[in-house]
Amino acid sequence: MPRGQKSKLRAREKRQQARAKTQTQGLEGAQAIGAEEGEPSSSAHPLLEGSPQNVPAAETPSTHKEPQKIPSSTNDTTAAVSCTDSNEGANKQDEESSESSKAIEGFRRDPLNKKVVLLVQFLLKKYQSKEPITKADMLKFVIKKYKLHFNEILRRASEHMELAFGIDLKEVDPIKHCYALVSKLDLTLDGTMNEENMPKTGLLMIVLGVIFMKDNCAPEEAIWEVLNLMGVYADKKHLLYGDPKKIITEDLVQLKYLEYRQVADSDPPCYEFLWGPRAHAETSKMKVLEFLAKLYDTVPSAFPLWYEEALRDEEDRARARAAARARIAANAPRAMASSSSHTK
């Protein structure tokens, strides 16, 4: 990888570490479902058991282990999104687990979270209608008397948009305070992102992460083991994702984001997942690792083995882009010569 590009990656990593240190704890009442009794949710470690954020790569166990606890941000996000539809909330709560219900109630107790819910609704409408987003409009129509808490409300809403819908909120004009919403993946069939498709992006990023961490080919049961820790089950309708089994084994396969195939010579039949061609084209191992790191409130380098693999993938992609540019440059004179000969 060119020295300048590697420096950018390192600089981005330092910014993420600094942001992680200053980030506030999860919302009140959103505890990790799998946490041990008496252990605070902030101690729930991400995907590597026994490999804390500051452990260097040399001390990392050689065997990858699955996450043992659910990140509090997952429950917070489910609570936030569940509150965005007040008409359906009462009916849907009957279908939720007791843990999710507690998370929702805890979420609602914080007065700032009411504004977070309204802001998520506001941002989703702006995203779907492709209208500009400004700080002035957010203050006028959503934040109102909570102006002093604007940055915190915006931070929480941005986090929920990213983790639930796979959409990043970016400030595109720091002077006029204009923002843009950018999807991590173009999860569309006809170029249109609808409400049904938006939650699939967040779910897809998690599945892509599990595949990556399972040496790029994950048994179906491994996918569900991780999703079960997050309260997502194959045989149960989910508040945010609807029918997760259909999404993973049918919808995302048809969209070519996932490859779902039977394991050779398996009897009874077993299935496994790989990245599909659109996933390879539209995202990267580094982007997926960054997403998972944020989900677990840490940084990509907390997973040294996977981080190094993601860096190698970035280098391979950079070389492929450079080779493509070189081919285009080499073919350009021939194309121009051919074009001029035809005009004569």
Side-chain angles (χ1 to χ4, degrees):
M1 180 184 294
R3 182 175 299 176
Q5 188 171 351
K6 188 170 290 187
S7 298
K8 288 181 180 179
L9 281 171
R10 300 297 183 188
R12 180 172 59 183
E13 182 71 14
K14 288 181 179 179
R15 288 196 298 271
Q16 288 175 325
Q17 289 174 337
R19 185 165 62 246
K21 289 180 181 179
T22 59
Q23 192 175 37
T24 60
Q25 296 299 323
L27 303 175
E28 181 181 354
Q31 301 297 322
I33 297 173
E36 296 179 3
E37 190 171 341
E39 185 177 70
S41 62
S42 60
S43 68
H45 189 265
L47 301 174
L48 277 178
E49 184 185 43
S51 177
Q53 189 170 325
N54 295 324
V55 173
E59 297 177 24
T60 303
S62 59
T63 302
H64 296 329
K65 295 187 179 180
E66 294 305 320
Q68 300 301 310
K69 303 177 178 69
I70 298 173
S72 61
S73 56
T74 304
N75 284 339
D76 296 348
T77 298
T78 301
V81 177
S82 71
C83 294
T84 60
D85 193 337
S86 57
N87 295 326
E88 298 181 8
N91 295 329
K92 287 187 177 179
Q93 278 198 8
D94 293 336
E95 304 172 9
E96 297 170 359
S97 64
S98 59
E99 291 87 353
S100 296
S101 298
K102 290 177 183 177
I104 292 170
E105 290 308 312
F107 185 91
R108 285 172 172 162
R109 281 197 294 269
D110 188 335
L112 289 187
N113 286 334
K114 295 178 181 178
K115 291 298 180 180
V116 172
V117 170
L118 293 175
L119 186 55
V120 169
Q121 289 178 320
F122 178 83
L123 293 173
L124 286 175
K125 289 178 181 177
K126 290 288 187 179
Y127 181 76
Q128 291 172 313
S129 61
K130 299 182 179 180
E131 296 177 3
I133 302 169
T134 64
K135 179 178 180 179
D137 282 346
M138 287 188 277
L139 289 171
K140 180 178 179 181
F141 298 112
V142 181
I143 308 299
K144 297 180 180 178
K145 66 178 182 179
Y146 287 87
K147 291 181 181 180
L148 293 177
H149 301 282
F150 172 76
N151 289 336
E152 175 61 15
I153 294 170
L154 183 65
R155 184 193 68 77
R156 296 187 197 180
S158 300
E159 186 174 86
H160 296 318
M161 291 289 289
E162 179 180 7
L163 299 182
F165 303 113
I167 299 173
D168 289 324
L169 179 67
K170 298 183 178 181
E171 188 174 25
V172 293
D173 188 336
I175 298 176
K176 297 181 179 180
H177 298 291
C178 294
Y179 297 82
L181 289 167
V182 182
S183 177
K184 289 181 177 294
L185 292 168
D186 182 24
L187 195 58
T188 63
L189 281 172
D190 56 3
T192 303
M193 174 68 79
N194 55 41
E195 288 186 34
E196 181 182 353
N197 275 342
M198 280 195 291
K200 295 178 185 178
T201 306
L203 184 61
L204 172 59
M205 294 295 285
I206 295 169
V207 174
L208 291 176
V210 177
I211 295 171
F212 168 37
M213 294 177 173
K214 285 289 185 179
D215 294 327
N216 304 305
C217 182
E220 183 173 9
E221 57 268 25
I223 299 290
W224 291 113
E225 282 175 9
V226 173
L227 293 180
N228 288 172
L229 289 172
M230 301 172 64
V232 180
Y233 301 92
D235 57 352
K236 185 177 180 181
K237 187 174 182 180
H238 190 268
L239 177 69
L240 179 57
Y241 303 125
D243 184 348
K245 185 174 179 65
K246 179 178 180 295
I247 290 174
I248 294 172
T249 62
E250 296 180 29
D251 298 349
L252 295 175
V253 174
Q254 291 173 1
L255 288 168
K256 300 188 182 302
Y257 283 106
L258 295 175
E259 183 180 341
Y260 182 59
R261 69 187 187 188
Q262 183 176 339
V263 178
D265 302 322
S266 59
D267 185 21
C270 297
Y271 294 86
E272 59 190 6
F273 285 93
L274 297 88
W275 283 30
R278 284 187 70 177
H280 283 290
E282 296 180 19
T283 191
S284 67
K285 292 178 180 180
M286 183 62 75
K287 289 180 181 178
V288 169
L289 190 59
E290 288 172 349
F291 176 85
L292 290 177
K294 182 167 288 188
L295 185 68
Y296 284 90
D297 194 22
T298 185
V299 291
S301 59
F303 319 113
L305 298 179
W306 293 312
Y307 183 63
E308 290 301 319
E309 182 177 344
L311 283 176
R312 289 194 297 271
D313 181 63
E314 292 292 301
E315 293 175 355
D316 293 341
R317 287 171 178 268
R319 282 194 292 268
R321 288 192 296 269
R325 286 195 295 268
R327 285 195 298 271
I328 293 172
N331 291 331
R334 299 177 188 174
M336 293 178 62
S338 176
S339 175
S340 60
S341 64
H342 282 301
T343 56
K344 293 178 181 179

